[in-house]
């Protein structure tokens, strides 16, 4: 029974790793594909007391350096007031660029791992270095997905806050006047950005799961199993 379980494990574990790497490959593409190249535009309506209303566009694009995005051009006239050049507030470029970099590296490593598993499995299993190197890198990627997904989730919330009605009111000094009211009347769809965060945490789950199957290919796991089997059989009987 133990021999059958060992043979079955030797067949199924590599297949599981191949499936995990295939899913990691696809979800990594979807992770950086859903946030890279994004462009959004919120329409801001400025209600001027006693005069005609005004409209502004709050445009923001990847990599979301909001402090470089103009909300009002220099010396523009709004509600009969001269307004200086005003930018949006915030910078989420570090978090989203880190997220995209991890996704691209994970995509490349998954592709390389699939090539090794599908074409050079005999070489991979004949050495101790291959499985241990694979396990260490898989664990590192799992950690990186945790960090970059959490950072990008926070960065995305910064983008949402800065482009909301409250964010525009705190950015544009004109909105603090008693007879002026500012409101975002048309929001850009951020569905793809929300999906990118979901794919980030999905990648975390996939890489953690894959780390377990890759660990079972290493010498560390085989030594542990052999030690447990030896302890289960007990000491050899003393010679008579």
């Amino acid at each position: 029974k133990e021999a059958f379980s060992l043979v079955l494990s030797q067949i199924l574990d590599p297949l599981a790793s191949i499936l995990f790497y295939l899913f990691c490959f696809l979800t990594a593409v979807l992770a950086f594909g859903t946030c890279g190249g994004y462009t959004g535009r919120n329409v801001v309506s400025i209600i001027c007391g006693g005069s005609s209303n005004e409209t502004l566009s709050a445009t923001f694009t990847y990599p979301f350096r909001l402090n470089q995005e103009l909300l009002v051009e220099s010396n523009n006239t709004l509600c009969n007031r001269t307004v200086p050049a005003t930018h949006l507030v915030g910078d989420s470029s570090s978090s989203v660029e880190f997220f995209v970099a991890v996704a691209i590296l994970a995509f490349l490593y998954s592709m390389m791992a699939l090539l090794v598993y599908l074409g050079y499995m005999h070489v991979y299993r004949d050495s101790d270095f291959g499985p241990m190197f694979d396990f260490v890198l898989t664990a590192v990627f799992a950690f990186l997905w945790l960090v970059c997904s959490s950072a990008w989730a926070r960065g995305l919330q910064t983008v949402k806050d800065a482009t909301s009605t409250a964010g525009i009111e705190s950015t544009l000094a004109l909105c603090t006047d008693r007879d002026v009211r500012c409101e975002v009347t048309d929001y850009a769809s951020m569905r793809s950005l929300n999906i990118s965060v979901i794919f980030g945490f999905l990648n975390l789950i996939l890489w953690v799961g894959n780390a377990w199957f890759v660990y079972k290919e290493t010498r560390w796991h085989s030594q542990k199993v052999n030690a447990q089997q030896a302890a289960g059989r007990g000491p050899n009987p003393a010679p008579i």
Side-chain angles (χ1 to χ4, degrees):
K1 184 177 179 180
E2 290 181 358
F4 175 75
S5 298
L6 181 60
V7 172
L8 189 63
S9 177
Q10 290 177 343
I11 295 173
L12 294 181
D13 289 348
L15 291 176
S17 291
I18 290 172
L19 288 175
F20 267 107
Y21 274 124
L22 180 59
F23 284 127
C24 290
F25 175 88
L26 295 174
T27 53
V29 172
L30 292 171
F32 68 77
T34 49
C35 65
Y38 175 87
T39 298
R41 185 175 71 93
N42 285 3
V43 176
V44 182
S45 295
I46 302 177
I47 296 90
C48 308
S51 62
S52 60
N53 299 335
E54 306 282 353
T55 301
L56 294 176
S57 294
T59 304
F60 46 99
T61 61
Y62 175 88
F64 308 107
R65 293 186 177 93
L66 302 182
N67 53 11
Q68 297 180 10
E69 302 286 356
L70 268 176
L71 178 62
V72 180
E73 295 183 359
S74 179
N75 296 324
N76 200 355
T77 301
L78 297 172
C79 298
N80 297 325
R81 297 166 175 83
T82 301
V83 180
T86 306
H87 293 79
L88 295 173
V89 175
D91 186 353
S92 298
S93 60
S94 59
S95 61
V96 71
E97 286 175 342
F98 178 40
F99 180 82
V100 169
V102 171
I104 292 175
L105 290 174
F107 158 77
L108 294 175
Y109 184 72
S110 298
M111 184 169 58
M112 184 184 70
L114 284 171
L115 290 175
V116 172
Y117 271 85
L118 295 174
Y120 301 94
M121 192 62 190
H122 59 288
V123 178
Y124 177 85
R125 280 189 158 178
D126 286 344
S127 67
D128 290 331
F129 175 76
M132 289 189 291
F133 177 79
D134 192 14
F135 169 71
V136 170
L137 271 186
T138 303
V140 168
F141 270 112
F143 175 74
L144 287 176
W145 276 116
L146 172 63
V147 175
C148 75
S149 298
S150 301
W152 171 223
R154 184 171 182 177
L156 177 56
Q157 188 59 50
T158 299
V159 174
K160 292 179 178 179
D161 292 341
T163 56
S164 66
T165 295
I168 298 297
E169 286 179 342
S170 63
T171 301
L172 192 58
L174 176 69
C175 300
T176 60
D177 290 355
R178 185 172 57 183
D179 58 342
V180 177
R181 184 165 61 89
C182 302
E183 182 181 358
V184 177
T185 54
D186 188 8
Y187 283 90
S189 174
M190 296 190 186
R191 182 180 304 171
S192 65
L193 301 182
N194 293 328
I195 291 174
S196 69
V197 174
I198 293 172
F199 275 121
F201 286 106
L202 178 60
N203 271 288
L204 166 63
I205 295 171
L206 289 173
W207 284 87
V208 168
N210 192 32
W212 165 246
F213 287 102
V214 174
Y215 169 70
K216 293 176 74 174
E217 295 288 329
T218 64
R219 182 178 59 189
W220 301 320
H221 180 262
S222 60
Q223 289 175 345
K224 181 179 179 181
V225 171
N226 292 336
Q228 290 175 345
Q229 290 176 348
R233 287 193 294 266
N236 294 326
I240 299 174

